[in-house]
Amino acid sequence: MLTLDHFAITTTWLEDGVAEVEEALGLHLDAGGQHAHFGTHNRLLGLGDIYMEVIAIDPDAPSPAASRWFDMDNFDGPTRVTNWIVQTSDLAAALAELPDGVGDPVALERGDLRWQMAVPANGKLPCDGAFPAVIAWEGDAHPAKRLPERGCRLTHLEIAHPRIADVTAALADRFADSRVSFVESVQKRLTAEIATPHGTRVLT
């Protein structure tokens, strides 16, 4: 069974994107770190059992040998919610049941956190990233458990895409979360509704 792990907001310059998200939510994000394998860095916000990240290419990091995750090599335009990530306890078994194109396991680390994530060779997840990335954490360490309590919770994550039926068919009997819904749309769009101490805020 797959469970919701976190969602990603991609931006061109991390500090600019963080400032936009902080203004939208009315609170500060917490420190994240660098991902040496992909040359990216992030900031985080705990949402109870899950978290969100604002992620960007790290201009001070060497260019990676492989394509960056979340198709970040081709990112442009405004800061926006681009991807969602589901967790499994057995990455190999999960990938055996999911469609081609979800990717191959890549061993990653940040500080004392260790995990594996399925990343496509070209960085492009199926359905333009409307299909989730799949992650498996090592041990009990998880960012959501370490982040300060900000009184924020994800109330709704909407995944929209012209071929959303392909996503739901592939996830049938493998993923269910009352916070996540799927809709057909003329273009890919992810929308997150977050309950904050200042009321519900919407990130797109």
Side-chain angles (χ1 to χ4, degrees):
M1 196 67 177
L2 304 172
T3 58
L4 184 61
D5 189 82
H6 69 282
F7 65 90
I9 298 169
T10 306
T11 188
T12 302
W13 302 102
L14 186 60
E15 292 306 317
D16 291 346
V18 167
E20 292 178 51
V21 173
E22 289 182 337
E23 181 177 4
L25 296 178
L27 48 82
H28 292 294
L29 303 188
D30 295 298
Q34 287 75 35
H35 314 106
H37 186 92
F38 290 113
T40 58
H41 55 169
N42 66 2
R43 296 277 293 278
L44 308 175
L45 177 68
L47 300 169
D49 61 324
I50 68 167
Y51 67 100
M52 70 170 219
E53 67 174 330
V54 179
I55 188 168
I57 292 174
D58 185 348
D60 297 324
S63 296
S67 296
R68 291 181 173 90
W69 48 8
F70 305 143
D71 197 25
M72 291 179 65
D73 292 312
N74 297 302
F75 178 82
D76 61 9
T79 299
R80 59 191 182 274
V81 184
T82 55
N83 294 89
W84 62 299
I85 299 87
V86 295
Q87 181 181 163
T88 179
S89 59
D90 189 335
L91 186 56
L95 293 178
E97 296 180 346
L98 293 173
D100 292 339
V102 178
D104 297 313
V106 177
L108 299 165
E109 60 182 57
R110 179 173 65 79
D112 65 340
L113 293 169
R114 302 285 186 276
W115 70 98
Q116 288 194 337
M117 181 178 282
V119 181
N122 63 2
K124 301 176 184 293
L125 284 157
C127 294
D128 309 308
F131 200 88
V134 187
I135 193 171
W137 294 92
E138 294 184 9
D140 294 329
H142 189 275
K145 298 178 181 179
R146 302 180 174 193
L147 290 165
E149 175 58 64
R150 301 290 187 189
C152 296
R153 296 292 184 271
L154 177 72
T155 56
H156 187 206
L157 179 65
E158 182 181 87
I159 317 297
H161 192 271
R163 302 194 315 278
I164 199 63
D166 294 344
V167 177
T168 55
L171 295 178
D173 301 323
R174 298 185 179 95
F175 174 81
D177 191 309
S178 61
R179 296 169 293 188
V180 181
S181 66
F182 303 91
V183 299
E184 185 174 342
S185 174
V186 295
Q187 62 184 7
K188 176 205 171 184
R189 183 185 67 256
L190 273 66
T191 305
E193 293 183 4
I194 299 175
T196 79
H198 319 293
T200 298
R201 303 297 173 91
V202 178
L203 301 175
T204 58

